[in-house]
Amino acid sequence: MSMGRIVKVSGPLVVATGMADANMADVVRVGHQRLIGEILNMNGDRAAIQVYEETSGLGPGAEVETTGAPLAVELGPGMIGTIYDGIQRPLEAIMAITGPTITRGIEVPSLDRETKWDFTPVAKEGDRVTGGDVIGTVQEGPVIQHKIMVPPGMSGTLTSVRSGSFTVTEVVATLKDDNGEEKQLTMIQKWPVRIGRPYKHKFPPAAPLCSGQRVIDTLFPIAKGGTAAVPGPFGSGKTVVQHQLAKWSDVDVVVYIGCGERGNEMTDVLREFPELKDPRTGESLMKRTVMIANTSDMPVAAREASIYTGITIAEYFRDMGYDVAVIADSTSRWAEALREMSGRLEEMPGEEGYPAYLASRIAEFYERAGYVKCLGDDNRYGSISAIGAVSPPGGDISEPVSQATLRIVKVFWGLSASLAYKRHFPAIDWLQSYSLYVDRLGGWFSDNVSPEWNELRARAMRVLQEEAELNEIVQLVGIDALSWKDRLTMEVARSIREDYLHQNAFDEVDTYTSLQKQFDMLQLILAFQEKGQQALDAGANLSDVLGLPVRDRIGRAKYIPEDEVRVQFEQIESDLSSQTAALIDQGGQA
């Protein structure tokens, strides 16, 4: 173990000499308060250290001690429902010791060492096992069955397996490895956060991540195992979009990373999630969620650690065969931390002062997403879907963080300030946003929702694009210059925008819409366009078509509860047909 001395302190950057025995990326303890830090680079025996806690009071001459190990997380039962900081310290356990303020240098184990878990073996003595094989299970709450796996890279024959209640540090199995050495297996695995956990094979994603948000699921879907970015200016609703995804996404586990966001936003999450029910299980959303709270008033350097901590925890649950969503809010704050550390290290800056390696760091994070075949012999498949908010200054997505992100992710949900000012939420701009998964997921939607799904989506997008073109004409010469057909198109586009794409996150029914209801809603709106056009062709007056009584019911269809959708939608369809037929029969005389 190497012991060095501080020669320079510059904010979160500490430089120490006498560290010849240390390695890059080693975790170190700094000063008499034993602040946690990580070695960024080495030059001879001189180490530049990123300290993950407040460094005020540190000065030259203070001791620096290396632990000889990289920054790692503890993985095992007890993570679900826990709130960690950026370096996986359990905040509630710390609060019980220190009160509301975190004491610097405090060391609290990430996993509770006192709680006993009921361990049920699935492997038996004499079994040949390799990394990733499940040796037993622990029921972690009502939702997650925690699979205790052989750590990656280890293989051999089980010489004993125990059954019963154990703490995470007690031995549950022993294994004789290929060299004849006895290894004791507990329910804890430690894994370095900067190294992705291994898997057998990564596949192109083939199923959508259903979120219940109509503008996302219908127009710009993300695949399970996919990547998405949510850029937008201040006040455009990035955080609410991410909260909605965390609440309603069709995944088994959610890892929510509050990376440098304001404390009140994180507080909203912590207050809301225990009260909300998971639509699939009926249990509290916290029963499937791991929170990482690294708010803007916490040390800047720990923002980087929080991103890696979150994705490593996600990989662990993926290895069990679960679908995991990683919600990072926001990667821009992480990039600002990289910029600050790069400046203090006096590195050559890239564009706008960000480090030259910004794009590769962002890519490293998103590339750990994917749909994979897990290690082990039981054909488990798991996925990580990575969704990152980007907060470009002034909403200008030409800045480096947004551009580096867009080069990597496959889905772009661009939030628009003008839509937000009009109180249209989610404020995802349908003319700027895109999803590169649309073609790949088309077959899934055809098979699982309706063969007409893809055609319906294309028609809706066409109507919205036509509206944008017609708006330019209207602004030049007024709406009276448009033909009745074009004016009908404008009305249908308004209906798609206001009745379909606009969604109230705080309404009990409207906050979540199943895929079948989304299809039925859009079909109603486009059926009105089709039948309205037939009535116009038969000589009906435009004002009579637009004034059909059924239009109000089409607009309010989003507030129909899921269990009443089938009956009520059939009634609306029937009324639409009869009312337009009446217009046609009257030869246009309403």
Side-chain angles (χ1 to χ4, degrees), residues 38-362:
E38 183 183 19
I39 296 178
L40 292 178
N41 59 45
M42 299 284 299
N43 187 359
D45 71 341
R46 196 177 172 97
I49 298 160
Q50 176 171 254
V51 180
Y52 291 131
E53 299 182 70
E54 177 59 48
T55 58
S56 57
L58 269 186
E63 290 186 342
V64 177
E65 178 188 319
T66 177
T67 60
L71 185 66
V73 287
E74 287 186 352
L75 305 167
M79 290 192 295
I80 294 289
T82 305
I83 304 154
Y84 293 110
D85 73 352
I87 45 180
Q88 212 205 2
R89 294 182 299 187
L91 294 176
E92 287 175 289
I94 291 173
M95 189 176 79
I97 298 168
T98 69
T101 307
I102 300 176
T103 308
R104 289 194 296 169
I106 189 164
E107 295 182 49
V108 177
S110 303
L111 299 177
D112 187 348
R113 299 298 199 258
E114 307 298 322
T115 305
K116 285 188 177 285
W117 300 92
D118 291 331
F119 176 79
T120 308
V122 295
K124 58 187 185 300
E125 193 176 317
D127 282 358
R128 168 86 188 162
V129 292
T130 59
D133 284 343
V134 178
I135 56 171
T137 61
V138 167
Q139 191 62 40
E140 188 172 355
V143 180
I144 300 298
Q145 187 183 54
H146 199 109
K147 294 167 185 170
I148 307 300
M149 299 170 287
V150 178
M154 194 181 283
S155 63
T157 305
L158 290 174
T159 53
S160 72
V161 184
R162 302 167 69 196
S163 175
S165 292
F166 307 102
T167 63
V168 290
T169 52
E170 289 182 273
V171 176
V172 293
T174 53
L175 175 145
K176 182 176 278 190
D177 70 11
D178 298 334
N179 299 322
E181 290 181 34
E182 284 276 337
K183 297 284 177 70
Q184 296 185 327
L185 302 180
T186 66
M187 288 192 263
I188 290 186
Q189 286 190 27
K190 289 201 83 169
W191 191 265
V193 298
R194 293 179 186 275
I195 298 171
R197 285 175 64 88
Y199 48 81
K200 278 186 181 173
H201 187 73
K202 186 178 275 191
F203 298 93
L209 179 73
C210 304
S211 65
Q213 310 308 299
R214 295 186 289 269
V215 65
I216 291 174
D217 291 347
T218 304
L219 300 187
F220 311 111
I222 175 177
K224 277 185 183 173
T227 54
V230 195
F234 176 78
S236 60
K238 289 186 297 297
T239 301
V240 174
V241 167
Q242 290 204 304
H243 287 193
Q244 288 296 93
L245 289 165
K247 288 171 194 171
W248 307 121
S249 287
D250 175 27
V251 291
D252 302 301
V253 179
V254 173
V255 180
Y256 190 94
I257 308 167
C259 176
E261 279 304 298
R262 288 171 288 282
N264 59 329
E265 292 181 355
M266 205 68 217
T267 306
D268 281 347
V269 179
L270 300 179
R271 280 187 178 157
E272 279 179 23
F273 272 47
E275 295 171 12
L276 288 164
K277 284 192 167 51
D278 182 346
R280 295 193 306 163
T281 63
E283 295 288 341
S284 162
L285 280 174
M286 279 306 278
K287 299 279 171 55
R288 63 160 194 173
T289 305
V290 182
M291 295 275 186
I292 296 171
N294 193 87
T295 54
S296 51
D297 61 341
M298 290 179 169
V300 170
R303 292 177 189 175
E304 184 180 15
S306 68
I307 291 284
Y308 290 110
T309 297
I311 197 79
T312 307
I313 291 172
E315 285 176 335
Y316 177 65
F317 285 107
R318 174 207 68 193
D319 291 348
M320 296 181 202
Y322 290 126
D323 294 316
V324 187
V326 176
I327 315 276
D329 187 14
S330 106
T331 54
S332 292
R333 308 278 179 261
W334 165 37
E336 286 165 11
L338 287 175
R339 178 166 64 182
E340 176 165 344
M341 291 309 300
S342 176
R344 292 183 186 278
L345 286 166
E346 299 174 7
E347 294 172 339
M348 182 69 77
E351 193 180 351
E352 291 191 23
Y354 287 102
Y357 46 79
L358 172 71
S360 65
R361 288 288 175 87
I362 292 174

Side-chain angles (χ1 to χ4, degrees), residues 202 225-230 242 307-308 311 326 328 330-332 334 359-370 384-390 401 404-406 408-411:
K202 186 178 275 191
T227 54
V230 195
Q242 290 204 304
I307 291 284
Y308 290 110
I311 197 79
V326 176
S330 106
T331 54
S332 292
W334 165 37
S360 65
R361 288 288 175 87
I362 292 174
E364 281 171 17
F365 167 68
Y366 284 107
E367 282 169 2
R368 287 170 74 170
I384 295 177
S385 309
I387 300 156
V390 186
V401 183
T405 305
L406 292 181
I408 298 148
V409 300
K410 298 284 191 293
V411 179

Side-chain angles (χ1 to χ4, degrees), residues 410-426:
K410 298 284 191 293
V411 179
F412 168 58
W413 296 318
L415 298 177
S416 157
S418 64
L419 284 176
Y421 294 149
K422 292 173 189 169
R423 313 321 273 165
H424 178 107
F425 293 106

Side-chain angles (χ1 to χ4, degrees), residues 5-9 14-17 46 59-61:
R5 296 275 177 187
I6 293 176
V7 293
K8 175 186 173 183
V9 179
V14 167
V15 179
T17 56
R46 196 177 172 97

